């Protein structure tokens, strides 16, 4: 259940990243872990600003309730003719075999055989939890639905605790930590 929702949100997320950076991305690997999910993207040239922008767009599409639409084509060629910016792992697709394309309504089109939500609304909340740039690859951890809600609450509690420890408030905490880091470096 969680995997289906996480996987659907991942389609929307990759679509948003593509829109922001203006190129088609290749997902090398997706793992559904016990606590969260990991997507590894090839040659993406991403940074935190891009990732946060994409995260925001996915959540606004969840609120809009974008539908998930499945299309079937006779071949990859036919699919590509009709959808020029189709994402497809071509190594895994046998030529002239019928192909299933999953559309996040008006947003992203990817060849995929896995199960998806019927509507992005089912994902409830999409939250990026960790970003690692490893060489030319971006490793991004994320959570959806109840796991995202629990993570959001946990993050909020931790920030409140950090504010208490440092005497900062929500608006000043980043600046306070930067200052503490600086003082530490000097002494
Ligand atoms: Zn899929």
């Amino acid at each position: 259940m969680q995997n289906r929702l996480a996987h659907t949100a991942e389609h929307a997320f990759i679509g948003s990243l593509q829109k922001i950076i203006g190129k088609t991305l290749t997902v090398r690997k997706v793992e559904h872990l016990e606590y969260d999910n990991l997507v590894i993207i090839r040659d993406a040239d991403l940074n935190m600003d891009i990732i946060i922008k994409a995260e925001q767009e996915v959540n606004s599409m969840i609120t809009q309730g974008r539908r998930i639409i499945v299309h079937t084509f006779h071949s990859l060629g036919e699919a590509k003719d009709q959808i020029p910016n189709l994402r497809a792992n071509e190594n895994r697709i046998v030529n002239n075999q019928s192909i299933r394309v999953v559309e996040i309504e008006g947003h992203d089109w990817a060849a995929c055989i896995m199960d998806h939500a019927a509507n992005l609304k089912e994902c409830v909340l999409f939250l990026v939890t960790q970003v690692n740039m490893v060489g030319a690859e971006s490793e991004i951890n994320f959570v959806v639905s109840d796991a995202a809600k629990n993570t959001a609450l946990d993050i909020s509690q931790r920030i409140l605790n950090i504010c208490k420890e440092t005497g900062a408030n929500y608006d000043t905490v980043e600046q306070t930590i930067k200052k503490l880091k600086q003082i530490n470096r000097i002494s």
Side-chain angles (χ1 to χ4, degrees):
M1 179 69 177
Q2 281 285 355
N3 287 1
R4 188 172 64 91
L5 298 181
H7 174 68
T8 307
E10 176 224 317
H11 276 248
F13 181 53
I14 301 296
S16 290
L17 290 173
Q18 287 188 160
K19 218 195 272 174
I20 297 164
I21 64 171
K23 75 170 191 181
T24 305
L25 294 174
T26 306
V27 173
R28 182 170 71 79
K29 197 177 178 189
V30 183
E31 276 180 59
H32 299 292
L33 310 164
E34 194 182 333
Y35 172 72
D36 59 6
N37 310 276
L38 171 71
V39 59
I40 303 177
I41 306 164
R42 260 196 197 129
D43 299 326
D45 207 13
L46 302 176
N47 60 45
M48 278 310 279
D49 285 345
I50 295 170
I51 291 164
I52 289 167
K53 231 187 226 175
E55 183 187 33
Q56 285 168 339
E57 189 180 54
V58 172
N59 281 295
S60 83
M61 286 189 298
I62 289 173
T63 307
Q64 289 160 13
R66 297 273 184 122
R67 290 178 302 143
I68 316 303
I69 305 154
V70 177
H71 307 273
T72 308
F73 295 95
H74 294 300
S75 67
L76 179 61
E78 191 198 8
K80 281 173 118 181
D81 277 348
Q82 299 208 26
I83 309 164
N85 52 349
L86 175 75
R87 283 195 290 125
N89 194 336
E90 301 193 15
N91 299 332
R92 288 190 203 156
I93 296 169
V94 181
N95 226 358
N96 295 323
Q97 197 180 53
S98 76
I99 185 169
R100 196 165 166 257
V101 171
V102 176
E103 173 184 354
I104 308 285
E105 191 181 359
H107 174 66
D108 180 68
W109 291 262
C112 189
I113 52 159
M114 288 170 73
D115 286 335
H116 305 84
N119 190 300
L120 215 49
K121 218 169 215 160
E122 295 170 45
C123 299
V124 184
L125 180 66
F126 170 78
L127 209 60
V128 170
T129 52
Q130 201 172 315
V131 177
N132 285 316
M133 305 298 176
V134 184
E137 291 189 334
S138 304
E139 299 184 353
I140 302 172
N141 291 69
F142 65 95
V143 279
V144 295
S145 188
D146 286 348
K149 276 200 212 168
N150 291 336
T151 303
L153 287 169
D154 185 54
I155 291 169
S156 144
Q157 276 167 11
R158 282 178 200 227
I159 289 181
L160 290 174
N161 286 339
I162 291 168
C163 287
K164 200 175 152 202
E165 286 296 324
T166 57
N169 63 44
Y170 185 76
D171 292 324
T172 60
V173 66
E174 286 166 282
Q175 207 50 41
T176 302
I177 285 171
K178 272 182 201 158
K179 265 187 214 157
L180 285 172
K181 206 172 153 191
Q182 236 170 10
I183 293 166
N184 236 350
R185 228 181 261 148
I186 295 163
S187 57

